[in-house]
């Protein structure tokens, strides 16, 4: 291959795969000692999901996890981003509550199976699903003194149980969704809001910002625990993933240019990105919220600043921004997809907030790289095809609009990497499988794999085939490099490398998987003993 062609390839260390969230796919909400998540009852409450359906079965992945791992291997992914259910590990959630051995066993087997297929486990500790008992006991995320301690203990249990094999950790998935959608708009669990037609309690003017601060403190406390007690031996990386879309001025007027920056300041994690990476809130957050903005103490900001080894990025679309909006959660900015000339920014998705505009993806990558100067892991990116829920199987599988979306994002991913110099380390399309999409239920569909909910049979879509082929053609291959351990189309391990991609100094996770078979009962016993030693 010519050298000029090689410059258009992603590095051999680049990680790609598919992403999911536990409540959205696992089902089995009352199996093997799992406690309640506050999403359980919330999703069962009439009117809380668009189609009235819940997560009791979802895609039944708790039972069908072996089939799902096999499907990932067939796709040839290098990694799988999944989340652990806090209420499976510690059913009641608290730091003095017992650990559930069955929960440890389930995720341990999943991790081993992934490694045996040469798939890197990329693990999220919290994907929106607080144990219900903590919400009832002390208000959950609203109680700083309690939640930070309980979350940190939960994280330590996971580090102890799985950290010998997991080298990539995400503490939180989308604090903006946890805080704004759960405690501001009231459309996510626990559904608190000032809108009394939606919720009997809650204060949208204060609670989202309190929750956001407490989520970030919990994240930072867990990172401190990992770096001090586990990283020296386990050699992994840890960070947080933040959702946020590119915000583009509606036109060149000064007020709309300023509005776009205001939207970036607020709509990327409610302003929580700057404390993590820069050590302070964006100035506009202080201007907008005044005394309602919860402060960090000097000790807390020391804990928070620098508490992510990378920038975890969930992004889907681009907004055109006009000054004069009345929504604080958007920075008092008006969003539109309609240009001044009346044309649309891109192809409309099923959900009203999403259009296809790959140039915005490239702009956001550049903005985050230039602002924070940390490697970027794109941990979610995807498209929901309009009316896919009503399509016959054959039509749904031929998801040309989703393919077009990924054609654009992969194209600009290469451009950002090679032409702009952005250090992008990973890309995880959302989602591996058709799943429960929060308040949208099962109507809005992002999945790259179709699921027949009557039979739970999986069917790969054209978009999954496109991405599998694209990454095979656009990434360097090397059998001797850290990321060259993967032999596409096979489930065997290469003997030529024992490193985990992206962490050449890391402990040999693949060797661990080979030398300690997942069916060895003594291994699970040792894991359980270690966990009990940690928490007792």
């Amino acid at each position: 291959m010519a050298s000029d062609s090689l410059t258009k390839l992603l590095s051999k260390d680049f990680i790609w795969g598919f992403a999911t969230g536990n409540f959205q796919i696992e089902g089995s909400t009352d199996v093997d000692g799992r406690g309640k998540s506050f999403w359980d009852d919330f999703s069962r409450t009439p009117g809380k999901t668009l189609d009235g359906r819940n997560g009791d079965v979802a895609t039944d992945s708790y039972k069908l996890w072996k089939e799902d791992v096999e499907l990932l291997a067939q796709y040839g992914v290098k990694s799988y981003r999944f989340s652990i259910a806090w209420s499976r590990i510690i059913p009641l959630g608290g730091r003095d509550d017992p650990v559930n051995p069955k929960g440890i066993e389930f995720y341990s087997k999943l991790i081993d199976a992934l490694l045996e297929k040469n798939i890197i486990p990329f693990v999220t500790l919290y994907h929106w699903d607080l144990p219900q008992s903590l919400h009832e006991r002390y208000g959950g995320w609203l109680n700083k003194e309690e939640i930070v301690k309980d979350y940190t203990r939960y994280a330590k249990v996971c580090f102890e149980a799985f950290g010998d094999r997991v080298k990539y950790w995400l503490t939180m998935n989308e604090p903006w969704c946890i805080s704004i959608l759960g405690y501001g708009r009231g459309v996510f669990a626990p559904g608190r809001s000032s809108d009394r037609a939606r919720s009997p309690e809650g204060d949208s003017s204060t609670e989202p910002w309190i929750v956001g601060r407490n989520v970030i403190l919990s994240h930072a406390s867990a990172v401190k625990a990992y770096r001090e007690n586990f990283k020296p031996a386990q050699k992994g990386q840890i960070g947080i993933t933040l959702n946020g879309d590119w915000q583009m001025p509606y036109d060149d007027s000064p007020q709309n240019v300023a509005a776009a920056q205001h939207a970036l300041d607020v709509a990327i994690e409610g302003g929580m990105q700057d404390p993590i990476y820069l050590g302070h809130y964006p100035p506009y957050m202080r201007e907008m919220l005044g005394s309602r903005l919860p402060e960090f103490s000097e000790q807390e900001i020391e804990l928070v600043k620098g508490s992510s080894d990378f920038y975890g990025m969930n992004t889907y679309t681009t907004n055109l921004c006009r000054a004069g909006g009345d929504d604080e959660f958007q920075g008092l900015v008006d969003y539109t997809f309609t240009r001044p000339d009346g044309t649309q920014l891109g192809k409309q998705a099923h959900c009203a907030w999403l259009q296809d505009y790959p140039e915005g993806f490239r702009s956001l990558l550049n903005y985050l790289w230039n602002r924070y100067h940390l490697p970027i892991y794109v941990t979610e990116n995807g498209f929901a095809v309009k009316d896919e829920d009503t399509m016959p199987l054959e039509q749904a599988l031929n998801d040309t609009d989703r393919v077009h979306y990924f054609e654009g994002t992969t194209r600009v991913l290469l451009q950002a990497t090679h032409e702009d110099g952005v250090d992008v380390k990973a890309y995880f399309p959302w989602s591996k499988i058709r799943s429960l999409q929060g308040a949208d239920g099962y109507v809005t569909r992002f999945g790259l794999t179709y699921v027949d909910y009557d039979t739970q049979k999986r069917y790969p879509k054209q978009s999954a085939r496109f991405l599998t082929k694209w990454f095979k053609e656009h990434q360097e291959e090397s059998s001797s490099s850290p990321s060259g351990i993967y032999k596409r189309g096979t489930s065997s391990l290469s003997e030529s490398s024992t490193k985990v991609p992206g962490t050449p100094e890391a402990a040999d996770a693949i060797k661990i998987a080979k030398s300690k078979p997942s069916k060895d009962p003594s291994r699970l016993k040792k894991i359980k003993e270690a966990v009990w030693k940690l928490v007792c």
Side-chain angles (χ1 to χ4, degrees):
M1 184 177 291
S3 59
D4 59 340
S5 297
L6 281 174
T7 63
K8 299 178 182 178
L9 297 179
L10 295 168
S11 163
K12 58 184 176 292
D13 295 324
F14 189 88
I15 297 171
W16 79 276
F18 298 144
T20 60
N22 70 80
F23 183 74
Q24 295 162 285
I25 67 166
E26 283 182 359
S28 297
T29 53
D30 60 353
V31 170
D32 289 339
R34 177 190 181 274
K36 271 190 178 183
S37 149
F38 66 5
W39 264 98
D40 292 4
D41 287 344
F42 182 82
S43 67
R44 294 171 188 144
T45 303
K48 296 301 184 183
T49 62
L50 195 60
D51 56 0
R53 301 172 69 184
N54 57 53
D56 290 353
V57 177
T59 60
D60 213 14
S61 291
Y62 186 80
K63 296 177 182 176
L64 300 177
W65 65 271
K66 292 180 181 179
E67 289 88 338
D68 286 344
V69 171
E70 193 63 41
L71 181 61
L72 288 166
Q74 292 172 14
Y75 283 149
V77 301
K78 294 185 70 172
S79 184
Y80 175 43
R81 181 193 164 210
F82 66 94
S83 69
I84 293 173
W86 187 343
S87 55
R88 285 200 196 278
I89 302 300
I90 307 173
L92 296 178
R95 55 194 177 276
D96 298 320
D97 294 322
V99 173
N100 176 25
K102 286 288 188 180
I104 299 289
E105 181 179 353
F106 170 72
Y107 291 110
S108 190
K109 287 181 177 180
L110 174 60
I111 290 164
D112 282 348
L114 291 169
L115 290 169
E116 288 171 0
K117 295 291 186 181
N118 306 333
I119 298 170
I120 303 167
F122 206 112
V123 177
T124 305
L125 288 170
Y126 185 82
H127 198 128
W128 307 342
D129 54 331
L130 186 75
Q132 177 70 27
S133 59
L134 300 188
H135 179 66
E136 294 173 351
R137 191 178 297 172
Y138 54 72
W141 289 113
L142 288 166
N143 189 321
K144 180 177 74 170
E145 299 306 321
E146 297 294 333
I147 194 65
V148 173
K149 294 174 185 176
D150 284 347
Y151 176 81
T152 304
R153 187 265 188 145
Y154 157 65
K156 285 181 179 179
V157 170
C158 292
F159 299 149
E160 182 74 27
F162 314 123
D164 60 330
R165 292 153 290 158
V166 173
K167 304 306 169 186
Y168 295 92
W169 294 99
L170 294 169
T171 55
M172 302 283 180
N173 181 75
E174 301 179 335
W176 190 92
C177 292
I178 298 168
S179 57
I180 304 299
L181 300 185
Y183 295 81
R185 302 202 192 283
V187 296
F188 275 19
R192 294 176 65 88
S193 170
S194 293
D195 181 355
R196 291 295 169 259
R198 183 178 295 279
S199 172
E201 55 187 8
D203 184 346
S204 300
S205 70
T206 59
E207 288 188 3
W209 316 113
I210 293 169
V211 168
R213 188 268 314 271
N214 295 345
V215 167
I216 296 306
L217 286 173
S218 299
H219 144 78
S221 178
V223 170
K224 183 176 186 290
Y226 181 77
R227 288 174 173 172
E228 291 180 353
N229 302 313
F230 300 95
K231 186 167 185 172
Q234 296 177 357
K235 307 295 184 183
Q237 297 186 47
I238 189 166
I240 190 168
T241 195
L242 309 175
N243 62 292
D245 298 316
W246 181 237
Q247 312 294 345
M248 193 163 66
Y250 179 73
D251 56 27
D252 294 333
S253 66
Q255 61 267 32
N256 289 336
V257 171
Q261 183 59 54
H262 294 162
L264 284 169
D265 289 343
V266 177
I268 299 181
E269 296 316 319
M272 292 297 165
Q273 71 282 10
D274 277 7
I276 294 171
Y277 297 106
L278 302 179
H280 56 76
Y281 285 117
Y284 181 70
M285 289 287 294
R286 294 188 177 279
E287 176 186 336
M288 185 179 76
L289 295 178
S291 62
R292 289 184 289 126
L293 184 64
E295 294 292 345
F296 293 101
S297 69
E298 289 185 13
Q299 185 179 12
E300 287 171 343
I301 205 64
E302 184 178 345
L303 177 71
V304 167
K305 185 180 180 182
S307 60
S308 190
D309 294 336
F310 48 82
Y311 193 101
M313 169 182 163
N314 287 3
T315 190
Y316 290 84
T317 194
T318 294
N319 295 302
L320 292 168
C321 297
R322 295 180 294 205
D326 59 2
D327 188 342
E328 278 190 343
F329 304 141
Q330 296 177 182
L332 300 177
V333 172
D334 181 44
Y335 289 173
T336 183
F337 289 132
T338 304
R339 297 185 178 93
D341 64 4
T343 62
Q344 292 296 291
L345 196 62
K347 182 74 175 180
Q348 180 62 49
H350 187 83
C351 35
W353 54 266
L354 172 54
Q355 285 195 0
D356 178 358
Y357 187 71
E359 290 76 11
F361 179 63
R362 181 180 183 179
S363 295
L364 184 59
L365 287 170
N366 274 270
Y367 174 81
L368 295 174
W369 171 246
N370 291 326
R371 186 174 178 88
Y372 302 119
H373 307 289
L374 281 176
I376 297 172
Y377 289 72
V378 182
T379 45
E380 284 184 28
N381 182 241
F383 189 82
V385 174
K386 191 171 180 59
D387 298 325
E388 188 176 280
D389 61 310
T390 63
M391 293 180 182
L393 174 62
E394 294 76 12
Q395 185 179 358
L397 295 181
N398 188 28
D399 54 342
T400 54
D401 287 349
R402 186 175 289 111
V403 171
H404 183 267
Y405 179 92
F406 286 123
E407 286 174 342
T409 53
T410 52
R411 170 175 53 81
V412 300
L413 175 65
L414 278 179
Q415 292 171 342
T417 301
H418 292 292
E419 297 176 22
D420 306 335
V422 180
D423 187 10
V424 186
K425 295 289 191 185
Y427 182 73
F428 290 89
W430 181 269
S431 65
K432 179 196 77 172
I433 200 165
R434 170 184 170 189
S435 61
L436 174 68
Q437 285 301 132
D440 281 1
Y442 298 88
V443 175
T444 300
R445 300 184 179 181
F446 282 87
L448 296 141
T449 306
Y450 182 95
V451 178
D452 182 333
Y453 287 118
D454 292 330
T455 65
Q456 292 293 347
K457 185 174 181 180
R458 278 75 161 134
Y459 299 86
K461 296 179 184 177
Q462 192 61 35
S463 55
R465 301 181 191 281
F466 164 78
L467 286 164
T468 297
K469 183 174 184 289
W470 190 92
F471 278 100
K472 185 175 182 180
E473 295 174 348
H474 290 84
Q475 185 170 13
E476 297 174 1
E477 296 275 5
S478 174
S479 61
S480 59
S481 67
S483 62
I485 59 175
Y486 301 96
K487 293 183 177 180
R488 289 186 172 83
T490 73
S491 60
S492 61
L493 291 163
S494 168
E495 297 293 335
S496 60
S497 175
T498 59
K499 296 292 194 297
V500 178
T503 55
E505 79 285 7
D508 188 355
I510 300 299
K511 186 176 180 181
I512 290 170
K514 293 172 70 178
S515 63
K516 299 180 179 180
S518 60
K519 295 181 180 180
D520 180 4
S522 65
R523 184 183 189 195
L524 291 174
K525 181 179 179 182
K526 290 178 181 178
I527 291 171
K528 295 172 188 175
E529 289 174 350
V531 171
W532 282 112
K533 183 178 179 181
L534 173 70
V535 302
C536 293

